[in-house]
Amino acid sequence: MISHGKNIKIFSGNSHPALAMQIASALGLPLGKATVGTFSDGEISVSMGESVRGSDVFLIQSTCEPVNNNLMELLIMIDACKRASAGRITAVIPYFGYARQDRKNKARDPISSKLVADLITTAGADRVLTMDLHASQIQGFFNIPVDNMLGTSVLIPHIAGKFGCGRDDVVVVSPDLGSVSRARKFTEKLDLPLAIIDKRRPKANVSEVMNIIGDVRGKKVILVDDLIDTAGTLVHAANALIEKGGATEIYACATHGVLSGPAIERIESSPIRELTLLDTIALPQDKQIDKINVLPVAPVFTEAIARIYEEVSVSPLFD
């Protein structure tokens, strides 16, 4: 296996073909020919329609809903390229599913993100390119290089353009303790104060806001998180900031818009004026509402892929 493919090829699964097309177009390349479907019994069927021998192959696939199908598509595509003698295989996973099960919270819990990391490595991937892993330690679950891009590189310029920097009437808020380091990046770059919501989570997808640490009274608030799933945490935080904290306006931003279950209804009826997401996950037509603003990640992944192919440092993109 050579360390660097002789040419670059971009392929896509079914999770986000539009993003793959944008990346391929920005690189001045056609999207690779591949047929990814299912057999009549639901098994994944993959057929690579062109030679990848000796090539530097990038497989673009978010492991979002339907999570298991998209994950199997990725694994089988990796295996197909490996058996076709690809020079190097990079799994480009804009949204890495199963990332929330990253440790044992109680006896007999699985660590599913470690299992998925092992599956991707065993299938034959030589490298992983992703964005905003839910837990940074997941990088250590892989025995291959992992480049974890930061959604802040897209979100911070957007927030700066909307609110400016160094204002006294705007506060960045972390909806829980786990997102404090992410929120702090916003405060450092935008020169804004930080507030934190201390909450207790009785069970999965259910949160109860307990206290607001910091002053938000009479101010505009920017809630910062890595992903929005059922939107329970986000909406409870927004309500608490208005009712308990006395905030005047609520805005929110996150990298991954999972938006499962009652998420859209909750966001629609919440005091949130605008929710800004990145398109690491394709937003279906029925989830496109006026309150949701979507920013493209294709430029970031295009630059990262070009740097990986050219064997130059990717770390400048983290700034």
Side-chain angles (χ1 to χ4, degrees):
M1 186 71 70
I2 60 177
S3 63
H4 183 287
K6 63 186 179 183
N7 57 4
I8 182 171
K9 294 198 174 184
I10 310 291
F11 293 91
S12 173
N14 290 319
S15 69
H16 205 336
L19 176 59
M21 283 290 293
Q22 292 168 24
I23 293 171
S25 177
L27 290 168
L29 299 168
L31 194 61
K33 298 175 183 177
T35 303
V36 184
T38 58
F39 293 108
S40 59
D41 63 351
E43 291 181 2
I44 304 298
S45 167
V46 171
S47 176
M48 308 305 289
E50 61 186 81
S51 173
V52 296
R53 184 176 295 273
S55 299
D56 210 347
V57 173
F58 293 84
L59 304 174
I60 300 172
Q61 178 83 330
S62 279
T63 51
C64 52
E65 185 183 6
V67 181
N68 298 330
N69 276 16
N70 286 332
L71 176 59
M72 282 305 299
E73 283 185 10
L74 176 62
L75 296 175
I76 295 172
M77 289 180 76
I78 293 170
D79 183 74
C81 291
K82 180 182 178 182
R83 295 177 186 279
S85 301
R88 180 171 61 178
I89 303 168
T90 300
V92 182
I93 312 173
Y95 169 69
F96 185 87
Y98 283 107
R100 284 172 284 184
Q101 294 177 291
D102 61 296
R103 62 192 183 278
K104 293 186 68 169
N105 288 316
K106 62 181 186 299
R108 295 173 296 281
D109 269 4
I111 305 180
S112 304
S113 51
K114 166 61 174 167
L115 172 61
V116 172
D118 288 343
L119 289 171
I120 291 170
T121 305
T122 301
D126 298 296
R127 188 182 203 98
V128 169
L129 175 62
T130 187
M131 177 171 276
D132 276 354
L133 288 169
H134 187 62
S136 57
Q137 67 263 27
I138 293 173
Q139 284 184 278
F141 294 170
F142 288 87
N143 292 322
I144 55 177
V146 177
D147 291 310
N148 184 26
M149 311 305 297
L150 302 178
T152 52
S153 62
V154 181
L155 290 169
I156 287 177
H158 171 77
I159 297 298
K162 189 175 183 67
F163 296 99
C165 301
R167 290 178 53 171
D168 296 329
D169 62 335
V170 180
V171 181
V172 174
V173 176
S174 171
D176 54 32
L177 296 175
S179 294
V180 171
S181 61
R182 183 174 295 103
R184 190 172 287 122
K185 287 186 176 69
F186 281 76
T187 64
E188 291 171 353
K189 295 287 186 180
L190 300 173
D191 189 24
L192 296 174
L194 174 67
I196 302 167
I197 293 180
D198 176 33
K199 75 176 192 314
R200 176 172 60 87
R201 188 187 294 274
K203 59 183 179 179
N205 292 330
V206 176
S207 64
E208 179 183 345
V209 174
M210 301 296 290
N211 194 26
I212 299 171
I213 304 169
D215 180 23
V216 298
R217 187 164 299 279
K219 298 181 180 181
K220 297 177 182 179
V221 163
I222 305 167
L223 276 164
V224 175
D225 211 344
D226 66 322
L227 67 87
I228 310 297
D229 187 0
T230 61
T233 295
L234 186 74
V235 170
H236 288 156
N239 290 332
L241 288 164
I242 294 287
E243 296 165 7
K244 294 183 179 181
T248 57
E249 297 178 14
I250 308 293
Y251 299 84
C253 62
T255 302
H256 310 296
V258 179
L259 303 179
S260 64
I264 295 299
E265 291 77 9
R266 286 174 172 173
I267 293 166
E268 280 273 40
S269 60
S270 76
I272 297 170
R273 294 199 173 194
E274 182 183 78
L275 169 60
T276 300
L277 301 170
L278 303 186
D279 64 346
T280 56
I281 299 172
L283 190 65
Q285 191 70 37
D286 62 343
K287 294 182 180 180
Q288 295 178 15
I289 59 175
D290 291 339
K291 281 189 176 184
I292 296 179
N293 176 40
V294 181
L295 302 178
V297 294
V300 177
F301 279 97
T302 300
E303 180 67 17
I305 288 170
R307 285 174 174 267
I308 290 169
Y309 176 69
E310 293 165 0
E311 300 285 7
V312 297
S313 176
V314 178
S315 60
L317 300 180
F318 299 156
D319 297 328

